[in-house]
Amino acid sequence: MLKDDLAKLLKLQEKDSQILDQETEAGDIPEKLKERQDILKAKQEALHVIKKMAEDAAKEKKLLELDVDSKNQAIKKLSGQLNDVKTNKEYSALQQEINHAKEDVLKGEEAIIEKLMLDDDIKLKLTKGSEEVKAEEAKLKAEEEKLKAEGKQLEEAVKTEKAEREVLASAVEDKKLLARYEQIRANAGNGVAAIAVVNHSCGGCGTMLRPQETIEIHKFTHIVECEDCGRIFCG
Ligand SMILES: [Zn+2]
């Protein structure tokens, strides 16, 4: 009887929609994982920038230290020469040179202190950045395990449900009706081909039905498809 077949079709539809939902959910897993991976990548890149800053700062500090060292040696050398000069003019010129070098040393030492303060700041950022990367790595690992388990679970559920849908499908006696259902389902955007009348409207597209149409549908003498969306009315 058509009425029975349509009722079976509605059950089959329910199962097919469930399968589609689960397949969609399983399909979303790689993207979810990628979102987490991208977050980790961004944190790793930020940490890399800080590390580079730390390296550059260390290099600059080293250069400043070398400069101060060489200036100090020059001062020592010039100071030694003070005893050997013959004229006042030479003496004051040398003294001036020493004073210049001393000023440079002072400036260099100030710059080193500045770098040291900056160093502390970078070190703090480095610690914070490393901790964030570690935390994100742990999150990713947990998420990977969770999603892997979810994926496996969905895969198994879909397998079982597909077997169940085969039983439901074979129970539909009118094979032409079944073929029509499959055809509509393949073309329908959301995989829905069998629907019921809901509040005097098509349960698929919401189009209001004429009273006569509703009566026709509920006579179950022939298959009625929605004039708008083409889906099969099952009751
Ligand atoms: Zn419709």
Side-chain angles (χ1 to χ4, degrees):
M1 266 175 67
L2 182 60
K3 190 180 176 181
D4 290 343
D5 262 358
L6 289 173
K8 285 173 191 166
L9 208 59
L10 212 51
K11 271 192 184 161
L12 178 62
Q13 177 67 73
E14 212 177 293
K15 185 60 71 183
D16 277 337
S17 292
Q18 203 179 352
I19 292 169
L20 191 65
D21 280 351
Q22 285 173 331
E23 280 178 337
T24 307
E25 207 182 323
D28 287 345
I29 288 177
E31 202 177 323
K32 279 187 192 166
L33 206 56
K34 197 184 170 292
E35 272 171 30
R36 270 269 152 245
Q37 284 165 339
D38 285 348
I39 294 173
L40 174 61
K41 211 172 150 193
K43 301 248 183 212
Q44 281 170 333
E45 274 165 15
L47 181 60
H48 183 74
V49 170
I50 299 167
K51 274 183 182 165
K52 181 86 177 52
M53 270 168 68
E55 279 170 22
D56 288 349
K59 271 183 208 160
E60 281 167 27
K61 188 161 81 67
K62 187 79 201 158
L63 284 176
L64 285 168
E65 282 167 352
L66 287 172
D67 196 42
V68 166
D69 278 353
S70 77
K71 287 265 161 48
N72 274 328
Q73 274 171 24
I75 290 167
K76 216 172 163 186
K77 201 176 159 199
L78 291 169
S79 301
Q81 287 171 9
L82 279 176
N83 300 323
D84 304 331
V85 292
K86 306 278 183 271
T87 67
N88 277 342
K89 203 180 165 192
E90 272 177 345
Y91 188 88
S92 73
L94 204 53
Q95 192 64 60
Q96 209 173 6
E97 210 179 325
I98 290 168
N99 287 342
H100 275 311
K102 278 183 178 169
E103 276 170 30
D104 286 345
V105 165
L106 218 58
K107 275 184 205 160
E109 279 169 350
E110 274 169 17
I112 289 169
I113 289 168
E114 246 174 67
K115 285 270 174 251
L116 283 171
M117 281 160 72
L118 199 68
D119 235 27
D120 286 344
D121 187 40
I122 291 172
K123 268 178 199 155
L124 273 178
K125 280 185 184 160
L126 212 56
T127 309
K128 196 168 163 269
S130 303
E131 279 167 5
E132 280 180 7
V133 165
K134 250 187 220 164
E136 209 47 56
E137 278 170 347
K139 270 189 205 168
L140 175 62
K141 197 166 173 263
E143 189 75 359
E144 266 174 346
E145 279 167 18
K146 186 176 147 254
L147 290 173
K148 207 175 150 192
E150 266 179 31
K152 209 172 167 195
Q153 212 175 1
L154 283 168
E155 201 184 308
E156 275 164 22
V158 166
K159 219 161 132 188
T160 309
E161 274 156 13
K162 276 190 173 168
E164 285 169 6
R165 78 86 60 192
E166 286 315 312
V167 174
L168 290 171
S170 61
V172 178
E173 280 168 23
D174 184 346
K175 297 304 168 197
K176 268 190 193 165
L177 173 65
L178 188 63
R180 181 80 186 122
Y181 165 80
E182 298 291 13
Q183 189 189 12
I184 297 170
R185 205 165 68 87
N187 295 322
N190 57 359
V192 175
I195 38 99
V197 175
V198 181
N199 292 329
H200 310 289
S201 308
C202 167
C205 68
T207 299
M208 192 74 140
L209 301 169
R210 293 186 302 276
Q212 189 55 39
E213 271 183 298
T214 312
I215 292 167
E216 280 298 312
I217 292 163
H218 290 137
K219 272 189 195 165
F220 298 109
T221 50
H222 62 278
I223 296 163
V224 183
E225 292 177 4
C226 173
E227 284 176 12
D228 273 296
C229 68
R231 294 185 175 97
I232 304 164
F233 284 111
C234 296

